[in-house]
Amino acid sequence: MTGETMAAEEGSVDGRTARGHRRRAQIIEATLAVVHRDGATGVTHRTVAREAGITTSLTLYYFATLDDLLVAALTSVADEYTDRIRRLIDSEDDPVGGLALLIAESGGPGRERALAERELSTLAARRPALRPVARRWRDNVAELARTRTRDPAGIEAFVALADGLCAAILLDDHEADPEHIRAILGNALPGHGR
């Protein structure tokens, strides 16, 4: 095999891999769109394929089971939140204020993703395959709280409060005030209220 032939084969493998990644991402985004529009119970391989404009067999090729599809969609959202919270923990002077901004986004530009995350996380109560990914938000928020306190009860209260604030914002369906959220979250941490 010549160098040119090997390079051409490597290029086609890399091209197929890149196309596969793009197709998976397209299917995941279509899944999130279905969750946003119809709720998690509206997700089937057929509805996702229709949303993505592809064949059902193609969704089955990339995600053999419905749980595989739902886990991938929830992982997509959880990865974004994990990255953002990790950056807050690693670099923010006020990670609680940063978390307040993140939570407030669920009443505005981040509503669709927050709603999908909430819906899929709730579905984890009935679909155990989703549970490890569904727990990531709570684990990340707890890690952020540990940057401010070692009190287990304070950390638990902080996580529950962050969850409750997210749910309330989604239920109220209106813009949220990050300063107000920051004040509420701060009060949950011993010695860190305003």
Side-chain angles (χ1 to χ4, degrees):
M1 204 182 281
T2 68
E4 288 176 14
T5 306
M6 287 174 55
E9 282 186 11
E10 285 177 14
S12 67
V13 169
D14 288 343
R16 283 193 304 264
T17 301
R19 279 192 303 280
H21 289 302
R22 284 192 304 272
R23 182 66 75 190
R24 283 180 60 82
Q26 175 191 16
I27 294 168
I28 289 168
E29 286 305 313
T31 304
L32 292 171
V34 171
V35 170
H36 182 263
R37 184 186 62 236
D38 304 329
T41 58
V43 174
T44 65
H45 280 90
R46 186 179 317 273
T47 59
V48 170
R50 190 176 317 121
E51 181 70 28
I54 59 176
T55 64
T56 302
S57 61
L58 200 51
T59 66
L60 287 162
Y61 174 78
Y62 286 100
F63 302 99
T65 68
L66 187 57
D67 277 349
D68 292 342
L69 187 58
L70 294 168
V71 167
L74 182 55
T75 299
S76 171
V77 177
D79 285 350
E80 288 179 27
Y81 287 139
T82 297
D83 289 345
R84 291 194 56 193
I85 292 173
R86 169 76 7 228
R87 286 194 306 266
L88 291 172
I89 292 168
D90 292 343
S91 65
E92 281 282 327
D93 292 331
D94 180 19
V96 175
L99 180 62
L101 285 170
L102 179 60
I103 291 171
E105 284 179 15
S106 62
R111 181 172 173 71
E112 287 185 24
R113 289 203 101 50
L115 187 58
E117 187 271 340
R118 178 64 51 167
E119 181 120 11
L120 291 168
S121 291
T122 300
L123 185 61
R126 294 191 183 274
R127 295 188 91 97
L130 291 166
R131 290 179 187 164
V133 180
R135 289 185 181 109
R136 283 176 51 196
W137 163 260
R138 296 177 58 82
D139 292 344
N140 288 320
V141 171
E143 186 177 348
L144 187 145
R146 280 192 285 280
T147 68
R148 297 298 183 250
T149 185
R150 293 287 176 216
D151 175 41
I155 293 167
E156 188 175 345
F158 186 84
V159 171
L161 189 55
D163 273 353
L165 287 166
C166 288
I169 290 167
L170 289 170
L171 289 172
D172 291 343
D173 196 17
H174 63 76
E175 298 264 333
D177 176 9
E179 287 300 315
H180 179 70
I181 294 169
R182 167 64 180 90
I184 293 171
L185 288 172
N187 287 332
L189 297 172
H192 288 87
R194 283 195 174 199

